[in-house]
Amino acid sequence: LFSIRRLEDFIPADHPLRPMREMVNEALTRLDGLFASMYEPGVKGGRPSIAPEKLVRAMLLQVLYSIRSERQLMEQVHYNLLYRWFIGLSMDDAVWVPTVFSKNRARLIEHDVIVALFNEIIEMADERGWLSGEHFSVDGTLIQAWAEHRSFKPRDGSGGDGADFHGHTRSNDTHVSTTDPDARLYRKGKTASELRYIGHTLADNRHGLVANAMVTRADGYAEREAAKQMIGDARQAVSADVEVTLGADKGYDAKEFIDALDELKVVAHVARNTSGRRSAVPDEIAATPGYAASQRKRKLIEQGFGWAKTVGRIRQVMVRGLARVDQVFVLNMAAYNLVRMRTLRKMCAQARQTA
């Protein structure tokens, strides 16, 4: 007795991955040209061993379902029909070897595929009217590097195995991690010094979608420098007569940063820091209703960080090097946007039914 069933038949019609897969497929279709440029000439072997479309879907699954490693991901794809359906594998397709998966993931960095995917998802959100394109918030979060204290050794090669570092003065100028040279010893607020990166996001205030994301080495100027770069890109995307605002916390209340925003024709809705000092935010801006609205809306940006550190994989990354950490961070923010867009899509559908 034989029974013929499609893999599609096993997935519930109302499963939350269905609308997300539709959006991912739409974004991937827009990247066909980029994928075509990735394929080497036929004389060198043709297409990569894993189709980039399937590779990207598998990487998104790893974020969405908090799968800690490629090895565990491959194991679960082997027997999980839901995962096979989302990725685009049939029930008979062989699952990739974890090392091959990791090697092909590195290929995506060379062509900025994850950044391109993120941009296409944001473009889709804009087409659906879910972005204001004018009012933003910015913030940064610490990302623990995949390196430990004893790897932080003197640059001149002294210091032995680095295990006995207590009582010794160490700084990023004189020491470097032999495990991850791009990581920096850094602390913020009451946190202990750890080897870290800083992840930065620019969120659109309308629905809290992340409009831009990037990772930098950790230092005291990284957050403001990244903010200027991201809001500069957002400013260029709209006409000069459109008012663009940027909300941020007190850490961004510095005259140099406020002056830079003024040069970019961006209104600084930065929280005022008046603890023993004078705020760089002009009184006339702080008194406007728009400033108060930005201060309320900027808290939405924390939801993205919280999601990416609990559901996602950025509390402590399991990759090394600035480019790889940036890829993981941007991928997590793309996944977060997909989750929010799925909710917005459902809300819009319900609104149309009740209208």
Side-chain angles (χ1 to χ4, degrees):
L1 179 65
F2 294 93
S3 176
I4 300 177
R5 299 284 299 276
R6 298 181 307 160
L7 191 56
E8 177 87 12
D9 299 334
F10 292 94
I11 313 302
D14 58 348
H15 196 282
L17 276 186
R18 281 192 177 274
M20 295 179 67
R21 190 175 191 269
E22 291 178 15
M23 290 185 286
V24 171
N25 287 346
E26 181 180 345
L28 292 175
T29 300
R30 300 182 183 199
L31 296 178
D32 282 345
L34 175 60
F35 293 148
S37 67
M38 291 174 59
Y39 301 150
E40 297 177 349
V43 68
K44 294 185 178 180
R47 294 171 63 98
S49 58
I50 302 178
E53 300 90 340
K54 295 179 180 179
L55 180 63
V56 168
R57 294 193 198 100
M59 292 171 65
L60 283 170
L61 271 181
Q62 189 173 4
V63 174
L64 293 169
Y65 283 88
S66 308
I67 302 173
R68 66 177 182 269
S69 68
E70 282 79 10
R71 187 170 298 278
Q72 187 183 50
L73 175 63
M74 296 302 99
E75 176 187 340
Q76 295 194 23
V77 170
H78 184 73
Y79 58 76
N80 193 314
L81 295 183
L82 175 67
Y83 290 1
R84 282 179 172 268
W85 167 80
F86 187 86
I87 294 172
L89 297 175
S90 71
M91 286 187 275
D92 298 327
D93 287 339
V95 179
W96 313 298
V97 177
T99 53
V100 174
F101 184 88
S102 299
K103 182 177 180 180
N104 277 267
R105 185 188 62 190
R107 182 193 295 267
L108 301 185
I109 297 177
E110 302 174 16
H111 299 270
D112 288 328
V113 171
I114 300 303
V115 173
L117 174 72
F118 178 91
N119 291 338
E120 291 299 339
I121 291 172
I122 286 298
E123 181 66 25
M124 289 161 52
D126 190 31
E127 292 170 359
R128 289 160 171 79
W130 295 337
L131 300 177
S132 70
E134 302 171 7
H135 307 294
F136 301 92
S137 297
V138 69
D139 204 355
T141 189
L142 297 178
I143 301 173
Q144 190 170 344
W146 199 19
E148 55 184 11
H149 273 288
R150 65 180 180 180
S151 74
F152 197 60
K153 302 176 183 180
R155 293 179 182 270
D156 60 10
S158 62
D161 62 0
D164 185 19
F165 58 84
H166 297 286
H168 297 277
T169 301
R170 303 186 302 167
S171 74
N172 291 310
D173 293 332
T174 59
H175 290 63
V176 65
S177 171
T178 55
T179 303
D180 187 353
D182 287 333
R184 295 291 182 267
L185 193 67
Y186 186 73
R187 63 172 295 179
K188 183 178 181 182
K190 297 181 180 180
T191 62
S193 295
E194 298 283 354
L195 288 167
R196 293 181 166 122
Y197 293 90
I198 300 183
H200 314 269
T201 59
L202 182 76
D204 188 275
N205 285 352
R206 177 168 293 174
H207 293 295
L209 293 171
V210 177
N212 203 339
M214 63 185 298
V215 171
T216 63
R217 296 180 178 89
D219 64 52
Y221 302 96
E223 289 187 271
R224 293 196 291 269
E225 292 302 315
K228 287 187 284 187
Q229 180 178 336
M230 292 189 295
I231 194 61
D233 293 341
R235 171 75 268 187
Q236 294 178 4
V238 296
S239 59
D241 59 339
V242 174
E243 182 183 78
V244 175
T245 66
L246 180 66
D249 61 33
K250 293 180 180 180
Y252 294 83
D253 186 7
K255 187 177 185 305
E256 174 270 333
F257 182 67
I258 304 301
D259 290 344
L261 293 184
D262 188 56
E263 291 181 8
L264 291 170
K265 301 296 187 291
V266 175
V267 182
H269 287 178
V270 177
R272 309 185 85 189
N273 185 1
T274 56
S275 301
R277 61 188 290 274
R278 180 178 177 81
S279 172
V281 180
D283 295 337
E284 54 270 23
I285 292 179
T288 61
Y291 178 86
S294 290
Q295 289 303 299
R296 291 192 303 271
K297 283 287 191 176
R298 72 177 176 85
K299 298 174 184 178
L300 286 173
I301 202 170
E302 297 293 346
Q303 296 180 11
F305 293 147
W307 185 91
K309 287 190 173 184
T310 53
V311 178
R313 305 173 60 233
I314 69 164
R315 184 176 295 279
Q316 181 178 24
V317 289
M318 296 184 69
V319 293
R320 298 187 178 104
L322 182 61
R324 290 184 175 90
V325 175
D326 183 75
Q327 182 192 55
V328 170
F329 184 74
V330 174
L331 180 69
N332 274 260
M333 293 301 112
Y336 172 72
N337 280 344
L338 288 169
V339 171
R340 289 194 67 85
M341 289 167 64
R342 178 192 63 196
T343 303
L344 290 170
R345 174 174 161 170
K346 183 177 180 180
M347 292 171 60
C348 291
Q350 291 174 345
R352 287 192 296 269
Q353 291 175 358
T354 58

